[in-house]
Amino acid sequence: GDSGTTVVREIEWSVSRTGKITPVAIIEPIELSGAMVSRCSLHNLAIVAGLGISAGASVLAMRRGGVIPHIESVITPSATPLVIPDTCPSCGGPTRELGDFLSCAAPLACPDAIRGTLEHFVKAVEIDGFGPKVMAQLLGKALITEPADLYTLRALELVQLERMGDVLARKLVANVEARRVMSLATFLRALGIDEIGKTVASVLTEHFHTLEGLRAAG
């Protein structure tokens, strides 16, 4: 069926591109709607507190509409209380609570947030060839730290990466070059600002027409 009982192995804290730290329940694998599920996002601190969930709890897991797995309720609470991290699991810096959300206090210097921002950018702008492995190496060698750095990459730098020959390096530089010019709506979406998805980016573009017009808005 689309629901079943299982046990929470641990609560993992995942850092997004905006620095938001989301709790994820790692559960004993269970089959829901024909798929094996071992992770359920818990979304925010309010949901975690409302469920009273922590490692060792037995829970009712569901797949809403047969798609997204979530924890419906706690059946037997755990004797071990949940500890909300006061340091970021990615950079080790302090965390802060903002309403229902936990966040890294310095996302601009946080590796997971930086990686997420870059991955979001290449996907939104549709630059091919910069998958997780290439991105991890570029960050590890400090060749890029923000999306703008993609546009200054040279083939000579890219050939330092594992399994990166001269032909592929030149192809990646060409892929970036081909996406140097983009529509305003694409650019706004690529920035990864909270709440600016495809629809909002289109609405803003229709209203303000140019980046200058948008930046001058109150």
Side-chain angles (χ1 to χ4, degrees):
D2 63 357
S3 70
T5 57
T6 185
V7 175
V8 178
R9 283 181 176 171
E10 62 172 314
I11 305 291
E12 196 179 82
W13 299 85
S14 164
V15 186
S16 78
R17 58 188 164 82
T18 59
K20 205 172 272 177
I21 304 171
T22 306
V24 179
I26 309 301
I27 58 173
E28 292 290 347
I30 182 174
E31 192 175 323
L32 299 175
S33 307
M36 290 306 288
V37 174
S38 59
R39 298 169 66 87
C40 293
S41 173
L42 295 166
H43 308 294
N44 61 41
L45 299 179
I47 286 173
V48 167
L51 285 167
I53 194 169
S54 59
S58 82
V59 295
L60 178 66
M62 276 187 85
R63 275 182 83 194
R64 278 208 184 122
V67 185
I68 299 163
H70 74 282
I71 303 295
E72 186 70 15
S73 61
V74 170
I75 295 162
T76 314
S78 166
T80 314
L82 177 69
V83 177
I84 292 167
D86 52 13
T87 58
C88 172
S90 172
C91 68
T95 59
R96 57 181 180 179
E97 287 186 35
L98 302 166
D100 291 341
F101 293 94
L102 187 68
S103 188
C104 173
L108 296 178
C110 183
D112 282 1
I114 291 167
R115 195 186 73 239
T117 297
L118 285 159
E119 287 175 353
H120 173 80
F121 185 89
V122 296
K123 195 173 169 186
V125 178
E126 296 178 355
I127 302 174
D128 291 333
F130 289 85
K133 285 180 182 171
V134 171
M135 200 64 89
Q137 289 189 71
L138 288 171
L139 285 163
K141 292 183 184 295
L143 290 172
I144 59 175
T145 56
E146 60 178 22
D149 297 339
L150 287 162
Y151 293 91
T152 58
L153 279 176
R154 298 181 319 229
L156 203 65
E157 293 171 317
L158 286 167
V159 290
Q160 300 172 32
L161 309 187
E162 279 169 38
R163 301 200 187 93
M164 182 71 68
D166 192 47
V167 174
L168 183 54
R170 285 207 300 268
K171 187 176 186 303
L172 291 189
V173 171
N175 289 352
V176 173
E177 200 53 41
R179 293 286 184 264
R180 192 173 281 276
V181 177
M182 65 190 81
S183 71
L184 178 59
T186 298
F187 176 70
L188 291 176
R189 199 169 83 245
L191 292 177
I193 298 167
D194 254 2
E195 309 299 336
I196 301 187
K198 216 169 194 166
T199 309
V200 175
S202 298
V203 170
L204 290 171
T205 300
E206 280 167 25
H207 187 82
F208 292 104
H209 306 297
T210 64
L211 186 60
E212 291 71 31
L214 180 55
R215 293 186 74 154

